[in-house]
Amino acid sequence: MAREGRAVGAASGELVTIGEFARLSRLSAKALRRYDELGLLRPALVDPVNGYRYYDPAQVEGARLVAWLRRIGMPLSRIGRIVALDAGAAAVEIRAYWARVEAETAARRDLAMYLVDHLSAEGGAMSRIPGNTGNAGDTGKARGTGRTGSSAGAEDTGSLGGRGSSGSGVPGGSGVLGGPVAVPLAIRCAALTDTGAVRTTNQDAAFAGPRLLAVADGFGEGGAEASAAAIEALKPTAWGGGDAALSAADLLNALEDTADSASRAVRDAVAPCADPDGSGTTLTAMLWTGSRLGLVHIGDSRAYLLRGGELFRITHDHSLVQSMIDDGSLSREEAASHPGRALLLKALVGEARSAPVAVASRPDVRLREVLAGDRYLLCSDGLSAVVDEAELRAAVITAEVPEEAVRRLVGLAHAAGGPDNVACVVADVVVAAEEQQPGDGNGGGRSGPALGRSRVFREDGAGPGGRGGCRRFR
């Protein structure tokens, strides 16, 4: 009878006690008091004499939403913003939050699989040491199970050459990399950034040097400063790149440290802005040690690999539309015109408060296998969002040298209307002996400048990112 009476009271719209509201909302009284203190869920009435809290039954749906969001691990600070939104806007925020969680989980899964493979390989090597009691046959089998790509974002990492490919089919993924390659390798590269046909300023940055390939796409008031700072933080002097090749473990540690440095550099660069948390940058970079490439990636700039005549996308966009493509709620054709296509789920930003554009997060890091003959393309969405994939592939494949490739790619962006800034880097992996004698006919049909003399297009030579138009080689 008591329960029936309480139900009648709730149905009539009368206020209910905190105990009754806890039963209706499936939240504990302790949680309700905590949410009141945080301003997350205020009671409808607090008795001025005894301090008892009373709630309107109409608040039940909001309380249940808070409970559900806590169950998916959402921080209270973010829940507070969501419960203040209308249903449609709240749905967008929840989707964005969960897409970010999945992206970060995928990055951790990649790292876990790398560690499994790396330790399995070490175990196999130890088992072959005289006197070791390990089972050589078992550890040998474990070493052969290295993965060649991430299972996350298989659509992104498929071939763009007309033959479908799952994530596991992407060559040179984050599997066992072994020791340094037997044949010394080097890189020939070029970078180009352009303002485009519509924008009046250039917030993109690109760099190609002996140990670093990078593109960054800035946004907000301090976007230009953010993109430049992110790349500067990745320079070899910052991460200890030298002539000696780093071990896989050392490179992975260097990548983590460098990603943290880039995050701090961006925060410092945009701190003077009126709205620092509305300014930031994407970042896609590759760090070269002479035997391996380390990939650092956050946002929707991209990296592609050309190998065996096929062009593979090897990064996953941290964007709202990409998350909707991944869960099947949006097609690639629909994504091109989706109103939220510019919304980033992860980016390097200033001090996060409301963060209306992007949410600060750690970049993804991973290691990649390299082979002589590989060609890599790094670009901002000013290229990838406006140029058809078939045209992109054709330009990357047919260009003889990186300088020609970056010119063609920027030209394609202009031909498509040039609505945004564009930045791109193209790099060829070659045998070091060929690099010492460029154009000697042994480079697989490609000749060009040595990496130490890599070409970076700049308008005036200022800044680490090669800003401005295509004026001259620097």
Side-chain angles (χ1 to χ4, degrees):
M1 289 295 294
R3 176 171 295 184
E4 180 178 346
R6 288 196 297 267
V8 171
S12 66
E14 298 175 358
L15 299 184
V16 297
T17 65
I18 188 172
E20 175 62 13
F21 191 75
R23 186 189 68 79
L24 293 172
S25 63
R26 303 294 180 89
L27 288 169
S28 68
K30 180 179 179 181
L32 289 172
R33 285 191 289 269
R34 173 65 172 159
Y35 296 161
D36 179 16
E37 293 170 358
L38 295 174
L40 196 60
L41 185 64
R42 296 289 194 187
L45 175 66
V46 177
D47 191 303
V49 177
N50 55 31
Y52 287 172
R53 295 172 173 86
Y54 295 91
Y55 292 81
D56 189 328
Q59 294 178 277
V60 167
E61 287 304 314
R64 287 175 177 169
L65 176 60
V66 172
W68 292 331
L69 294 176
R70 288 298 290 157
R71 287 177 188 172
I72 65 173
M74 184 177 289
L76 289 173
S77 58
R78 188 158 188 169
I79 292 176
R81 296 198 299 269
I82 289 179
V83 296
L85 301 174
D86 60 54
V92 171
E93 282 289 321
I94 295 170
R95 177 187 291 277
Y97 167 78
W98 192 247
R100 179 189 172 194
V101 170
E102 290 185 326
E104 292 177 347
T105 300
R108 290 195 294 270
R109 181 175 61 244
D110 284 348
L111 176 58
M113 290 303 98
Y114 161 74
L115 292 173
V116 169
D117 291 340
H118 178 66
L119 294 174
S120 297
E122 283 193 350
M126 288 296 292
S127 69
R128 291 187 290 276
I129 297 175
N132 192 291
T133 58
N135 187 323
D138 290 343
T139 53
K141 180 180 293 185
R143 188 182 187 189
T145 59
R147 293 172 178 258
T148 56
S150 166
S151 60
E155 286 185 300
D156 290 322
T157 52
S159 165
L160 302 185
R163 187 174 68 236
S165 172
S166 67
S168 59
V170 179
S174 51
V176 176
L177 300 179
V181 292
V183 179
L185 299 176
I187 295 179
R188 297 172 182 165
C189 57
L192 177 61
T193 178
D194 190 85
T195 304
V198 176
R199 302 290 179 90
T200 57
T201 60
N202 191 356
Q203 294 186 313
D204 282 9
F207 183 86
R211 298 296 184 192
L212 173 66
L213 312 169
V215 296
D217 182 357
F219 56 83
E221 176 191 354
E225 292 76 13
S227 60
I231 291 181
E232 187 66 27
L234 298 187
K235 294 289 187 66
T237 53
W239 60 274
D243 293 334
L246 295 177
S247 69
D250 288 341
L251 179 56
L252 196 60
N253 288 337
L255 289 175
E256 292 282 356
D257 292 343
T258 301
D260 290 341
S261 296
S263 297
R264 289 193 297 270
V266 169
R267 288 197 299 270
D268 292 343
V270 303
C273 298
D275 182 23
D277 55 348
S279 296
T281 185
T282 69
L283 177 66
T284 300
M286 288 184 153
L287 284 65
W288 171 248
T289 69
S291 62
R292 299 181 179 92
L293 276 171
L295 175 65
V296 178
H297 170 69
I298 188 168
D300 61 357
S301 294
R302 294 180 177 179
Y304 297 86
L305 165 65
L306 175 65
R307 180 180 291 177
E310 300 290 351
L311 189 66
F312 300 90
R313 180 171 155 192
I314 59 174
T315 53
H316 191 80
D317 289 354
H318 299 136
S319 64
L320 176 64
V321 295
Q322 183 62 61
S323 72
M324 297 175 72
I325 292 172
D326 292 343
D327 66 22
S329 61
L330 197 68
S331 70
R332 291 187 179 276
E333 292 72 24
E334 292 170 332
S337 57
H338 191 277
R341 62 186 179 278
L343 179 61
L344 298 177
L345 302 180
K346 293 173 66 176
L348 301 179
V349 297
E351 293 296 333
R353 295 191 296 272
S354 59
V357 177
V359 177
S361 185
R362 291 175 62 91
D364 296 341
V365 298
R366 65 187 63 180
L367 305 182
R368 294 205 58 83
E369 168 198 8
V370 293
L371 296 176
D374 287 349
R375 171 170 280 183
Y376 286 91
L377 164 65
L378 282 63
C379 66
S380 64
D381 68 340
L383 176 66
S384 60
V386 299
V387 176
D388 180 80
E389 288 183 345
E391 290 185 292
L392 190 71
R393 175 178 178 271
V396 174
I397 288 178
T398 58
E400 286 295 315
V401 293
E403 291 87 348
E404 178 186 352
V406 294
R407 285 194 188 99
R408 288 189 182 186
L409 292 167
V410 170
L412 288 174
H414 271 275
D420 197 358
N421 305 152
V422 59
C424 59
V425 171
V426 173
D428 293 341
V429 180
V430 300
V431 175
E434 300 170 9
E435 199 63 6
Q436 295 170 2
Q437 296 178 329
D440 62 359
N442 297 322
R446 292 177 184 159
S447 61
L451 180 60
R453 301 188 301 278
S454 60
R455 283 5 185 194
V456 181
F457 286 105
R458 300 183 181 178
E459 184 174 27
D460 56 10
R467 303 191 167 281
C470 174
R471 291 291 185 84
R472 57 187 170 95
F473 283 118
R474 179 70 177 176

